[in-house]
């Protein structure tokens, strides 16, 4: 089976690593890939944004399965374009990707199909938004840009002043461009968070081990929100909570996409808040999480291509995702992340890691044969072990071996 992987971050490096271990693999290609992924896949000089060139390349290279990692090409409809040319695609249709690309679409989908989520209103215009905020009595209040904003379009507002500022920044100053043309105003929920990911083939789903991301930059959940500073899996949910997630979130999700006629073969990722009144969906992503993937894939025992192709072909029913042990992943970020990360620092220690330590590259490139930093999140180090405690110990022993100028990481992943 020839596989084309779209994307070039840490999630895709982990996917390339896991796919490479499959006995079904013919040749692996990645667009754009990265210098690290190039150790596992052919990376032609094609931009991720160039759908036409991607399609031509896929046809020329007899691609059997396309695996689309990031949200942006999904939201653009790359999956639909490849699928109409007869290529099997792991990744939802453009309409399915709206569940991530528009918070209004996602909230209305949840309301229509009875998925538990925070109460909300859509704000279409700044004057109206201000009026609704002035009428609001309960703080904190959550205000979100409707569209994609790389995880930065959510404001937890402590008072009216902050809420009004969110309207100004997101809707009037267009901090995230067109994404702020509508806002969603939402009830504030409290509780611990969990990342629930399931493979979906349009009719059935296969739940992956539950994981937990650590979004804030610094220990103790301090500092700004980031794309994710580390992850652990599995996160054990109580039986009744797990049951609610299955029946009220995933079963209703499947019923909803069928009723609405949304073609969906890929991953649904529900960001869940475990509130005192039960689990509620904070948001949907339509792809694997980053860094959750770097933590989940090492846990899976089976052949990933078997699962991905079953999903792309609508034959997921009855499949199992065998997983054992626990895994912890720690992200190493560059000085200045998330605002203005430094680049070009040489990375040392990658050849001297303890046995079993895995390193996935998010933001690196090769210069004179050596890896240097080239992004905010630079690497994720993952270790699998029998227990979460052992995984934590192993991963921090591995992290100690790696160095680059300005390297930062959280020391409390998994605590
Ligand atoms: P999102 O980009 O939608 O994943 O939101 C980023 C983060 O904002 C989430 O992981 C939560 O920590 C927080 N968040 C989003 N919606 C709410 C809400 N309704 N109540 C409390 N926190 C929220
Ligand atoms: N780790 C959060 C995300 O992938 O959106």
């Amino acid at each position: 089976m020839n596989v084309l992987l779209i994307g070039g971050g840490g999630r895709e490096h982990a996917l390339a690593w896991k796919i490479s271990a499959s006995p079904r693999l013919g040749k692996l290609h990645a667009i754009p890939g990265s210098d690290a992924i190039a150790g596992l896949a052919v990376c032609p000089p094609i931009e991720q944004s160039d759908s036409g060139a991607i399609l031509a390349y896929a046809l020329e290279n007899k691609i059997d399965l396309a695996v689309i990692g990031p949200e942006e090409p999904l939201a653009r409809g790359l999956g639909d374009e490849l699928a109409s040319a007869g290529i099997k695609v792991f990744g939802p249709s453009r309409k399915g990707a709206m569940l991530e690309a528009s918070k209004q679409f996602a909230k209305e989908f949840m309301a229509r199909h009875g998925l538990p989520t925070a109460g909300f209103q859509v704000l279409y215009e700044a004057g109206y938004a201000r009026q609704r905020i002035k009428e609001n009595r309960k703080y904190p209040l959550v205000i979100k840009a409707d569209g994609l904003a790389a995880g930065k379009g959510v404001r937890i507002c402590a008072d009216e002043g902050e809420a009004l500022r969110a309207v100004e920044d997101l809707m009037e100053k267009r901090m995230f461009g067109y994404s702020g043309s509508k806002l969603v105003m939402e009830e504030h929920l409290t509780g611990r968070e969990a990342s629930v990911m399931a493979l979906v083939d349009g009719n059935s789903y296969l739940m992956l081990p539950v994981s937990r991301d650590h979004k804030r930059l610094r220990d103790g959940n301090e500092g700004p929100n980031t794309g994710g500073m580390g992850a652990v899996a599995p996160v054990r949910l109580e039986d009744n909570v797990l049951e609610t997630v299955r029946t009220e979130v995933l079963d209703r999700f499947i019923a909803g996409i069928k009723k609405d006629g949304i073609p969906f073969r890929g991953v649904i990722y529900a960001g869940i808040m475990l509130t005192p009144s039960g689990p509620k969906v904070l948001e949907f992503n339509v792809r694997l999480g980053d860094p959750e993937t770097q933590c989940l894939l090492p846990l899976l025992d089976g052949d990933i291509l078997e699962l991905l192709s079953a999903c792309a072909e609508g034959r997921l029913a009855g499949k199992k995702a065998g997983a054992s042990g626990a895994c912890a992943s720690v992200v190493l970020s560059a000085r200045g992340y998330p605002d203005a990360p430094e680049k070009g620092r040489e990375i040392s220690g990658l050849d001297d890691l303890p046995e079993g330590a895995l390193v996935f590259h998010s933001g690196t490139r090769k210069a004179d044969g050596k890896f240097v930093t080239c992004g905010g999140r630079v690497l994720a180090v993952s270790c699998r072990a029998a227990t979460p405690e052992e995984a934590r110990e192993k991963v921090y022993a591995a992290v100690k071996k790696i160095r680059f100028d300005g390297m930062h990481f959280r020391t409390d992943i998994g605590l």
Side-chain angles (χ1 to χ4, degrees):
M1 186 187 297
N2 294 322
V3 178
L4 172 60
L5 177 62
I6 303 294
R11 164 184 50 213
E12 288 78 23
H13 190 203
L15 277 164
W17 165 78
K18 193 71 181 167
I19 290 171
S20 298
S22 167
R24 280 160 217 260
L25 181 66
K27 199 163 181 182
L28 180 61
H29 306 254
I31 296 175
S34 65
D35 287 342
I37 293 173
L40 301 161
V42 183
C43 301
I46 296 175
E47 303 271 339
Q48 184 177 297
S49 56
D50 191 347
S51 297
I54 294 174
L55 176 59
Y57 182 87
L59 292 172
E60 194 180 316
N61 290 278
K62 304 200 167 28
I63 295 301
D64 301 294
L65 176 69
V67 178
I68 304 180
E71 61 276 22
E72 185 276 323
L74 291 166
R76 199 174 74 220
L78 179 62
D80 311 65
E81 286 184 58
L82 295 172
S84 19
I87 297 164
K88 301 267 179 353
V89 179
F90 179 82
S93 63
R94 180 181 176 148
K95 193 166 175 198
M98 291 273 289
L99 288 163
E100 176 166 357
S102 166
K103 306 236 187 248
Q104 176 188 10
F105 185 86
K107 294 296 281 192
E108 290 175 350
F109 175 92
M110 289 189 259
R112 193 158 61 241
H113 301 295
L115 282 78
T117 189
F120 72 102
Q121 286 181 45
V122 181
L123 309 173
Y124 295 93
E125 183 270 314
Y128 178 72
R130 284 200 188 88
Q131 185 191 326
R132 300 315 309 232
I133 287 167
K134 293 210 163 109
E135 286 162 13
N136 177 64
R137 295 278 160 266
K138 221 171 135 199
Y139 284 92
L141 176 69
V142 182
I143 299 205
K144 302 181 173 180
D146 176 63
L148 295 176
K152 293 179 202 143
V154 175
R155 297 277 183 93
I156 315 285
C157 307
D159 54 35
E160 189 176 300
E162 284 188 24
L164 294 172
R165 210 163 318 122
V167 173
E168 189 183 329
D169 290 346
L170 301 174
M171 197 174 233
E172 293 180 319
K173 292 191 181 153
R174 292 288 171 103
M175 219 168 188
F176 302 104
Y178 184 71
S179 290
S181 58
K182 285 184 280 188
L183 302 177
V184 171
M185 175 170 129
E186 212 175 273
E187 169 199 3
H188 182 255
L189 303 175
T190 53
R192 295 200 77 184
E193 292 182 43
S195 306
V196 170
M197 286 184 263
L199 306 183
V200 169
D201 73 354
N203 281 302
S204 48
Y205 67 84
L206 170 62
M207 198 170 154
L208 300 172
V210 178
S211 54
R212 177 167 287 133
D213 181 13
H214 295 58
K215 286 213 170 86
R216 300 295 197 101
L217 182 66
R218 284 188 277 280
D219 285 0
N221 294 326
E222 304 274 347
N225 257 329
T226 70
M229 294 301 295
V232 288
V235 168
R236 303 252 176 246
L237 301 182
E238 287 167 45
D239 287 350
N240 61 329
V241 173
L242 192 60
E243 182 59 17
T244 310
V245 166
R246 284 189 175 281
T247 55
E248 294 186 10
V249 178
L250 295 173
D251 289 350
R252 290 179 190 177
F253 177 80
I254 297 287
I257 55 168
K258 284 167 84 167
K259 197 157 177 207
D260 291 351
I262 300 176
F264 203 108
R265 289 180 170 176
V267 176
I268 189 68
Y269 164 150
I272 301 271
M273 184 81 90
L274 303 166
T275 78
S277 55
K280 298 202 175 170
V281 180
L282 289 174
E283 57 145 3
F284 284 131
N285 296 318
V286 296
R287 45 156 182 95
L288 289 162
D290 187 337
E292 289 94 327
T293 305
Q294 292 90 311
C295 186
L296 266 185
L297 293 184
L299 278 183
L300 298 185
D301 295 318
D303 174 358
I304 190 81
L305 275 188
E306 163 59 10
L307 290 180
L308 300 182
S309 57
C311 189
E313 291 166 12
R315 341 176 248 104
L316 204 52
K319 293 267 183 275
K320 294 251 180 314
S324 51
C327 188
S329 303
V330 174
V331 169
L332 312 184
S333 63
R335 187 187 287 129
Y337 178 70
D339 297 326
E342 291 178 1
K343 295 183 181 173
R345 303 289 187 263
E346 190 177 319
I347 304 168
S348 66
L350 293 175
D351 298 327
D352 178 32
L353 294 175
E355 208 187 315
L358 296 162
V359 177
F360 300 115
H361 293 233
S362 301
T364 70
R365 65 183 172 81
K366 256 187 180 164
D368 302 325
K370 289 191 178 132
F371 279 109
V372 299
T373 67
C374 178
R377 290 190 290 174
V378 177
L379 302 166
V381 185
S382 297
C383 285
R384 177 182 171 172
T387 66
E389 295 71 32
E390 263 177 74
R392 224 185 87 76
E393 227 167 85
K394 274 174 78 174
V395 79
Y396 280 110
V399 163
K400 265 197 201 148
K401 301 276 184 184
I402 302 175
R403 281 218 161 65
F404 56 84
D405 180 43
M407 177 171 122
H408 166 77
F409 60 91
R410 278 182 62 161
T411 64
D412 62 350
I413 301 301
L415 276 187

